[in-house]
Amino acid sequence: MQKVFVPSLTKRSYRTIWLVILVLLSFSLFMLNLLLGSVSIPVEDIFKIIIGSNIENESWSFIILKSRLPQTITAMLAGAGLAVGGLQMQTLFRNPLAGPSILGISSGAGLGVAIVLMFAGKIGGVALSGFGLAGHLSVAAAAFAGAMVVLMLVLFLSRHIKDNAVLLIVGIMVGYAASALVGILKFYSMREDVHAYVIWGLGSFSTVNWSQMKILFPVVILGLTGSFFLVKPLNVMLLGEQYAGNLGVNIRISKFLIILITGLLTATITAFCGPIAFLGLAVPHLTKGLLRTSDHKILLPAVIFFGCAVALFSNLIARMPGFEGGLPINAVTSIIGAPVVLSVILRRRNFRKAGF
Amino acid sequence: MSLNSLPLISTKDLAIGYKNPKRGRHVLHSDINVKLNAGEFACLLGPNGSGKSTLLHTLCGFIPALGGDVFIGDSPVTSISNKEMSRLVSVVLTERIEVANMTVFDLVSLGRSPYTGFFGQMKSRDVKKVKEAIAAVGLNDFEDRPLTQMSDGERQKALIAKALVQETPMIVLDEPTAFLDLPSRIELMNLLRKLSHERNKGILLSTHDLDLALQMADKIWLLAKGKKIESGTPEDLVLTNEFRRFFEREGILFDNSTGQFTVDKRNLKSIRVIGKGIEYKWVSRALARKGFEASDNSYSDIEVEIRSDGTPEYLVTGPSGKTHKLRTIEDLLEQIDQENNS
């Protein structure tokens, strides 16, 4: 209890210290992700490969550039993007259980993938999963299309539904409906296609190649940058829409932008990496517990680096010797995340308060 | 717009209520003509469901009027943008604010939002104003206290500080005393009255605290279902019987001479009470609650004599002529019950 009442100056430096720690943590995990793997490559060679100078061992450079580097960057982008989406949803809905998937967007992506995977099998008579890279690209496109349809629906509804709680229920119901359709599709599909869908649903950072990165990278960076422009409306919205309106914030536009940014981030990340569970819900919680602030000026950067760190850490675990990249990312994020969040919540009883 | 010499808020034939796309318009009140001046502390009184919140929300432009006009200064509220409005009227709403990790300083800082830049960064001038407002509501030592660890009264004060740093000529509060205990209510009302007089702000609040409003308000607005809104100084409302008429519901009687509400009990039985001073007053009150009227009438069945030198003693003589000597009013009432039933 007493710890909470630290004077403001030490509080500020306390937050700065944590921010620095998070940045350093992300950076070291970034390096570890490049360093660790089934083939051991010396650190100085990794640096040489990244800055583009030639080294004699071509397979090393291939491993770093074609596998470890894109995977690491994907993990960072996904971690940061989903965490920011989660933070924005928790603030918009003033509900600690909100996450980036709360609007039904990832369910929409799932439905898109299911339609493509399973209909392709039905109509073409062949399992799309057999097509390798081309197959994967169409899966990402389908996921993105599905997510976008739901996002458009939610954006449209958000302009007409005044009550945020109703909007929340709409998102959840859209999610249920999409899952039901997926279930029906699964029932009538070939075993290989269902398996491919299950694999997609387990999530992975390793399926993004450089040409896909050209889409993922700019969209996530755009979304993260955009979220910084919403710092003021997000802070004011903690008090609820009426107070926010009375403080001169344009609620309609702010709400639209918040949903748009979260939607774009979630749709793109889910399209390429599959529905990554838990990260978007857990990271904002952990960050708020750590920094003890409700100010989005501090929370946003912290959440970005924390998201990076958690995703990178999960990726490391998934690649631990013995698993060799075979462990699904979703299993890792949930297994690490659930106990951590539980312990935070049980220690702090004000879980039910908005903004937590 | 100019706010000099004009009322801060005025309404012209205002109709309030709700529009529902399916059920159509639901008008709660119409022909509302009220005004709030600078430096005026006004209380809006009315029973639950009479439309107090609806009126306040309409005045602030949160919900559209169903007819007539609301003027802020001389411009109709519909012509004022969200941004301009944030510098004219600040609000404190009924909803409890419970944001984890948010401190008093954080909350009050949000009140500077209409003046801060794109990212909401405060300048040292803003910080000074925030600290000054926190001190003005008497929360000096609470700056870094999280809202979740404060009492309801302290949280309301923090919200008032938020309204103060918004530097609006008007503050509108929707039932700010609703969750508070009596001392906090009095403290809060006093604070608001002081702020309105010292800083020349127009403060309008809705409340259920009739007694407090009657004592402290410069103006009272009376709102009841199916009646025209009445406004004026509390004293005028009493003398013109508006108050009495307003509360003319079964069993509730507004006593014009004492300014108090009494529960109207017909066929009062009188009891002769002999005594004086403070004990006399409180014994009469206790008897009134039981449905007896204290009188000098020597013909009543029961007689109470108060001996107030030293420890008070109450002597009750019933119809049988037997006298009981009692030490507390509780015992006295019990004895009277017995005598009355026998």
Side-chain angles (χ1 to χ4, degrees), chain A residues 4-5 8 11 94 228-229 232 236 238-239 242-243 245-249 288 292 294 297 348 353-354, chain B residues 82 86 89-93 95 98-103 107 113 116-119 121 144-146 149 166:
Chain A
V4 183
F5 302 116
S8 58
K11 208 163 170 179
R94 300 211 289 155
F228 276 96
F229 287 93
K232 191 171 171 178
V236 177
L238 283 173
L239 301 181
Q242 280 189 324
Y243 275 115
N246 179 250
L247 288 166
V249 167
K288 288 171 198 168
R292 295 196 217 112
S294 59
K297 276 197 296 291
R348 304 170 55 93
K353 310 278 158 57
Chain B
N82 220 17
S86 67
V89 183
S90 50
V91 295
V92 174
L93 303 164
E95 187 191 0
E98 291 192 337
V99 185
N101 296 319
M102 186 181 268
T103 62
L107 172 67
S113 296
T116 54
F118 193 78
F119 292 97
Q121 196 67 48
D144 290 313
R145 176 86 64 104
Q149 291 173 22
Q166 229 175 310

Side-chain angles (χ1 to χ4, degrees), chain A residues 74-88:
Chain A
T74 306
M76 290 177 78
L77 291 173
L82 291 175
V84 165
L87 177 68
Q88 289 191 334

Side-chain angles (χ1 to χ4, degrees), chain A residues 26-320:
Chain A
S26 310
F27 183 73
S28 25
L29 281 167
F30 173 81
M31 288 316 294
L32 278 177
N33 264 276
L34 292 180
L35 196 63
L36 299 181
S38 48
V39 181
S40 62
I41 306 171
V43 186
E44 56 267 32
D45 287 321
I46 292 177
F47 275 117
K48 278 184 195 159
I49 293 165
I50 291 175
I51 58 170
S53 51
N54 285 331
I55 58 159
E56 53 270 38
N57 195 330
E58 288 235 343
S59 65
W60 284 0
S61 122
F62 187 85
I63 290 171
I64 294 292
L65 290 179
K66 294 283 173 189
S67 165
R68 288 190 198 168
L69 190 61
Q71 194 180 353
T72 307
I73 293 175
T74 306
M76 290 177 78
L77 291 173
L82 291 175
V84 165
L87 177 68
Q88 289 191 334
M89 289 301 102
Q90 286 173 13
T91 300
L92 176 67
F93 291 114
R94 300 211 289 155
N95 190 322
L97 289 177
S101 54
I102 202 81
L103 297 170
I105 290 166
S106 34
S107 313
L111 182 59
V113 170
I115 288 173
V116 165
L117 279 179
M118 297 172 200
F119 270 148
K122 273 274 158 220
I123 296 166
V126 278
L128 193 68
S129 36
F131 281 107
L133 190 64
H136 180 71
L137 252 182
S138 51
V139 165
F144 191 73
M148 275 308 171
V149 168
V150 175
L151 176 59
M152 290 303 150
L153 183 73
V154 172
L155 277 178
F156 172 77
L157 290 173
S158 76
R159 294 180 70 86
H160 296 275
I161 297 173
K162 275 205 159 175
D163 192 348
N164 277 348
V166 178
L167 192 60
L168 197 70
I169 294 169
V170 168
I172 293 169
M173 288 306 131
V174 168
Y176 278 127
S179 310
L181 287 174
V182 170
I184 295 170
L185 282 173
K186 270 186 193 164
F187 186 74
Y188 289 110
S189 294
M190 287 192 276
R191 187 173 293 162
E192 299 91 326
D193 292 329
V194 174
H195 182 73
Y197 180 78
V198 169
I199 294 291
W200 177 81
L202 289 173
S204 167
F205 294 138
S206 55
T207 49
V208 179
N209 59 34
W210 285 114
S211 61
Q212 292 171 345
M213 190 66 87
K214 281 181 194 143
I215 304 167
L216 180 66
F217 190 83
V219 172
V220 172
I221 295 298
L222 191 76
L224 296 183
T225 317
S227 67
F228 276 96
F229 287 93
L230 291 171
V231 159
K232 191 171 171 178
L234 281 169
N235 272 339
V236 177
M237 275 193 178
L238 283 173
L239 301 181
E241 284 195 18
Q242 280 189 324
Y243 275 115
N246 179 250
L247 288 166
V249 167
N250 188 324
I251 300 295
R252 279 172 64 117
I253 293 178
S254 306
K255 200 159 124 183
F256 182 84
L257 288 176
I258 289 172
I259 295 176
L260 181 71
I261 287 178
T262 303
L264 268 181
L265 285 171
T266 314
T268 317
I269 294 165
T270 310
F272 288 115
C273 308
I276 308 286
F278 220 77
L279 228 152
L281 172 74
V283 170
H285 274 294
L286 296 173
T287 316
K288 288 171 198 168
L290 201 63
L291 295 180
R292 295 196 217 112
T293 179
S294 59
D295 187 351
H296 289 77
K297 276 197 296 291
I298 303 159
L299 281 179
L300 260 176
V303 154
I304 287 176
F305 285 109
F306 212 155
C308 279
V310 171
L312 286 171
F313 183 68
S314 307
N315 196 42
L316 265 190
I317 301 281
R319 280 197 338 209
M320 271 199 325

Side-chain angles (χ1 to χ4, degrees), chain B residues 182-196:
Chain B
L182 189 63
S184 313
R185 283 171 196 217
I186 296 170
E187 199 189 342
L188 200 78
M189 293 283 269
N190 247 328
L191 171 69
L192 287 169
R193 183 175 63 165
K194 205 180 94 194
L195 290 173
S196 102

